[in-house]
Amino acid sequence: MHDWWRRPIGRVAAGLVLALSLGTGLGSGGAAAHPAAPAVNVRGPQGTAADWLPGRVVVQLRDTHALGLMGGLLAQWGLQAQAATAGNGLYLLQGSANLDVAAAVAALRTNPAVAYAEPDYPMHLLMTPNDEHYADQEWWLTALQAQPAWDISTGNPDLIVAILDTGLATNHPEFAGRILPGHNFVSNNEDPYDDNGHGTHVTGIASAAGNNGIGIAGISWQTKILPVKVLNAQGAGSTYNFAQGIRWAVDNGARVINISAGADFGTDAEHDSIKYARSKGVTIVVAAGNTPDGRPEYPGGYDEVIAVSASSRRDSVAGFSSYGDYVDVAAPGINILSTWVRDRKPDYESESGTSMASPMVAGAAALILSVNPNLTPEQVQLLLQQTADDIGDPGFDQKAGWGRINLLRALQQAPAGPKPGSPPPKPAPGPAGGSKVQGTVTGIDPALVDVLLLPQNGSPPRDIQPDASGLYVFDGLPAGKYTVQLAIKSGGFGFPAPQTVEVGGSAGNGAQANFTLALARPPAFDGVPAPANVSTDPTYFAPVQHTLRGPFLAYWQAHGGLPIFGYPISEQFQEQSATDGRLYTVQYFQRNRFELHPEFAGSANEVLLGLLGVETSKGRTFLPGTPQPTDATHQWFPPVQHNLSGAFLAYWQSHGGLAVFGYPISEEFQEANTTNGKTYTVQYFQRNRFELHPEFAGTPNEVLLGLLGVDTVRARGWLP
């Protein structure tokens, strides 16, 4: 196909109207009709029937239309299906109180339409009795150096923090004017009012108003609050409701989520929702738990969250605080005064627990993102770890993680982002005895793969997701042979062969199994033969030997065609989104990617543009701009803290603005063009890149869109 993509395409047509979901600035615009699911399902129910909520099974379907094919199986077990509010093929199957949950799960797992089936586990508050008292109720603000930190930022009023808890006393004066419409997953309605008090207490720690002459000051005063009620008046809930609540919070714009609750077991449904949040750029902070037995509470035990233990006024870790290799940082959690509610009357109360420590870190994350909104969840976590005060054993320890957070140092470092190479990885987890099998998985986003360890003696298998660097470790293993293989969540990767390893079973003994994946070039990028009526068929493009049909053709024609999107450079095919990890029917064009959303058929969102500006700049840090007054030639965007002016602003406004390109995610800067090697003034947006071409000044080509569709596929080796 030669070098046809190098040719200028000309002026982009105006008038594209596209409704986007921009709550986090990273959304794909809606849920996929065919949710991505693990290719292999090996984990069975954890615990026993006493650990499960009776009569309840959670099932994730590989296809949202598959439920109708399971009528006989559901009838056999007397199960009624209730779709999750968040959708995405997740269902709660409700049966009688004496349902044999283990047998029902086993039967459902044999159905090829089921990605996974599991019991529903109880969730509970993570708060301990108030048994320590101090005269100065906000001692923790001094420990965190909050007062000087607030000279840097007291929070961004456009940033949203979601609190998944018992709800919120929406009439409490500490939150006036900052509460967004929430949701109640306990009663399945829109009233998230707190009938327990715990959720209001947690919210106050994270975000009670400061400098208002009453009560207390939370960590991040000005942020918006999104209340999500997932626990009832007794502080009880289920992992299914939390899975729904996490997705709902993400889809409704949350940038930070706090969870001050836990369960003894992890579930696929909850873990999938957390991975979804992470893929959308959402930072999740979770209480580590209040049972000091070395075992994690979940979701605190997942790698994708920031797990927080509780520290005391003396900067030691509280005796009740859970500990383990999963703990990331500590924060004050003893005798914490915060907002409360009694009989729907606003009040204040002191409580203790990791429930209180977690929202301090959530508030800190909100302040960090207020200073630098371009940071990823990984960078926010790393920044908190790097700037923490080491209060335990030197370096990382299982009780305080990397230390007790320090707000001032975190905000001072936030504009530049975390420092490279520090802190080092956590020590390899596990007990002193037993061998290890470890390795790395490269060439793929670790969030899209699980590593499976299959003992050849028939013992139960184990699975783990690699950390952000691709590292995985199985420890405490007895002597024997093991098969190590990958379970990849669908999408265009060459599948590596399993590996067999053998370990001796003693401490210090182990084996290595590394995997490198490569994206397989989809056949959709091969040219297709011309139809017999090529001279009259407008759906075939001879210069690139590709076709354009159906909803993609209608969208392409209605919204500017060749000048805005360029030629198609592939046929339609199935691909997993790098943004949200879900499977879409897509087609690549020179300047972008189309995604088909059949769940929005008949609406303006049936076809959505890919977030190629975000995807192609992944891993880069764009520092926030300096606010300039908004006028006819300049616009400041508080949600992303970037400016847009001059020729780029004029082009953005005349060719669709926010609906087409999304927010700017950088300031203007100089960058070499990957196609011709010349340096241009550029600016990145969520969905593309603008280039300034002074050689075309005064013509429609003075500003051109970047060839991000071409850049994306050439980087994968799919085009020469």
Side-chain angles (χ1 to χ4, degrees), residues 397-420:
D397 67 84
Q398 293 190 347
K399 292 187 175 181
W402 291 106
R404 192 251 309 125
I405 62 167
N406 185 303
L407 286 179
L408 178 59
R409 280 208 297 271
L411 296 197
Q412 289 172 332
Q413 182 64 29
K419 299 175 182 178

Side-chain angles (χ1 to χ4, degrees), residues 439-442 444-446 449 451 465-472 514-515:
T440 57
V441 181
T442 57
I444 188 174
D445 183 344
V449 65
V451 184
Q465 182 178 311
D467 66 16
S469 66
L471 175 69
Y472 73 89
N514 299 322
F515 297 90

Side-chain angles (χ1 to χ4, degrees), residues 153-167:
S153 177
T154 56
N156 180 350
D158 292 315
L159 189 142
I160 300 172
V161 176
I163 306 294
L164 272 66
D165 214 288
T166 61

Side-chain angles (χ1 to χ4, degrees), residues 54-112:
R56 294 165 66 100
V57 175
V58 178
V59 62
Q60 173 72 61
L61 300 182
R62 297 182 185 276
D63 188 311
T64 55
H65 303 294
L67 189 68
L69 304 177
M70 300 174 61
L73 187 57
L74 299 185
Q76 176 186 347
W77 291 95
L79 296 169
Q80 299 292 323
Q82 172 187 327
T85 302
N88 305 297
L90 185 68
Y91 286 86
L92 173 66
L93 305 182
Q94 184 79 54
S96 64
N98 60 359
L99 173 71
D100 187 338
V101 171
V105 166
L108 288 162
R109 284 163 57 89
T110 64
N111 191 301

Side-chain angles (χ1 to χ4, degrees), residues 241-332:
N241 278 350
F242 270 82
Q244 292 196 85
I246 291 167
R247 285 185 178 271
W248 186 89
V250 172
D251 293 343
N252 282 273
R255 191 72 194 277
V256 177
I257 294 175
N258 183 83
I259 300 176
S260 289
D264 293 334
F265 303 99
T267 71
D268 285 318
E270 187 175 58
H271 199 186
D272 275 357
S273 68
I274 286 171
K275 294 176 185 177
Y276 173 73
R278 187 83 159 205
S279 76
K280 294 286 192 178
V282 179
T283 298
I284 302 183
V285 184
V286 180
N290 299 327
T291 308
D293 59 3
R295 297 177 56 194
E297 294 260 5
Y298 289 90
Y302 297 128
D303 290 338
E304 298 86 359
V305 307
I306 301 174
V308 185
S309 62
S311 63
S312 72
R313 184 177 182 178
R314 295 180 291 274
D315 255 355
S316 60
V317 175
F320 59 74
S321 189
S322 295
Y323 64 87
D325 294 304
Y326 70 100
V327 173
D328 295 297
V329 291

Side-chain angles (χ1 to χ4, degrees), residues 437 451-455 459-464 474 477 482-485 501:
V437 172
V451 184
L452 311 179
L453 184 73
L454 309 174
S459 297
R462 293 170 61 180
D463 66 289
I464 193 173
F474 294 102
L477 301 176
Y482 297 83
T483 299
V484 188
Q485 67 185 57
V501 297

Side-chain angles (χ1 to χ4, degrees), residues 454-693:
L454 309 174
Q456 295 189 2
N457 64 1
S459 297
R462 293 170 61 180
D463 66 289
I464 193 173
Q465 182 178 311
D467 66 16
S469 66
L471 175 69
Y472 73 89
V473 179
F474 294 102
D475 59 355
L477 301 176
K481 290 185 177 182
Y482 297 83
T483 299
V484 188
Q485 67 185 57
L486 301 185
I488 304 172
K489 299 177 180 179
S490 54
F493 286 91
F495 203 92
Q499 299 184 39
T500 299
V501 297
E502 186 171 5
V503 296
S506 60
N509 173 261
Q512 194 91 4
N514 299 322
F515 297 90
T516 299
L517 288 85
L519 277 170
R521 183 180 186 273
F525 284 89
D526 296 335
V528 298
N533 59 341
V534 65
S535 61
T536 59
D537 188 349
T539 66
Y540 183 78
F541 295 85
V544 292
Q545 299 178 357
H546 283 297
T547 60
L548 182 53
R549 303 180 187 278
F552 286 170
L553 174 62
Y555 187 90
W556 188 86
Q557 291 173 329
H559 297 100
L562 193 63
I564 189 166
F565 303 119
Y567 286 112
I569 58 175
S570 77
E571 298 296 296
Q572 297 182 20
F573 67 103
Q574 296 276 295
E575 183 182 57
Q576 191 157 25
S577 168
T579 302
D580 64 11
R582 301 195 174 279
L583 197 65
Y584 296 94
T585 295
V586 304
Q587 186 166 12
Y588 278 82
F589 295 78
Q590 290 175 289
R591 300 188 183 278
N592 213 283
R593 178 185 67 231
F594 287 7
E595 297 176 353
L596 184 65
H597 290 258
E599 70 274 23
F600 300 140
S603 75
N605 290 338
E606 184 174 10
V607 176
L608 296 176
L609 296 183
L611 292 163
L612 294 194
V614 171
E615 292 177 19
T616 57
S617 62
K618 185 177 181 181
R620 301 174 66 174
T621 299
F622 296 127
L623 296 179
T626 301
Q628 302 295 327
T630 294
D631 54 31
T633 62
H634 186 92
Q635 189 166 347
W636 167 250
F637 295 88
V640 291
Q641 294 191 314
H642 285 299
N643 298 281
L644 184 54
S645 59
F648 285 170
L649 174 62
Y651 188 91
W652 186 86
Q653 290 174 330
S654 62
H655 292 85
L658 190 64
V660 177
F661 305 115
Y663 286 109
I665 59 174
S666 78
E667 298 293 290
E668 293 183 10
F669 65 100
Q670 298 285 301
E671 182 177 66
N673 184 287
T674 58
T675 301
N676 60 21
K678 295 182 179 180
T679 298
Y680 296 99
T681 297
V682 304
Q683 187 166 11
Y684 277 79
F685 295 78
Q686 290 175 299
R687 300 185 180 274
N688 216 288
R689 179 186 68 229
F690 287 8
E691 297 176 354
L692 186 65
H693 289 257

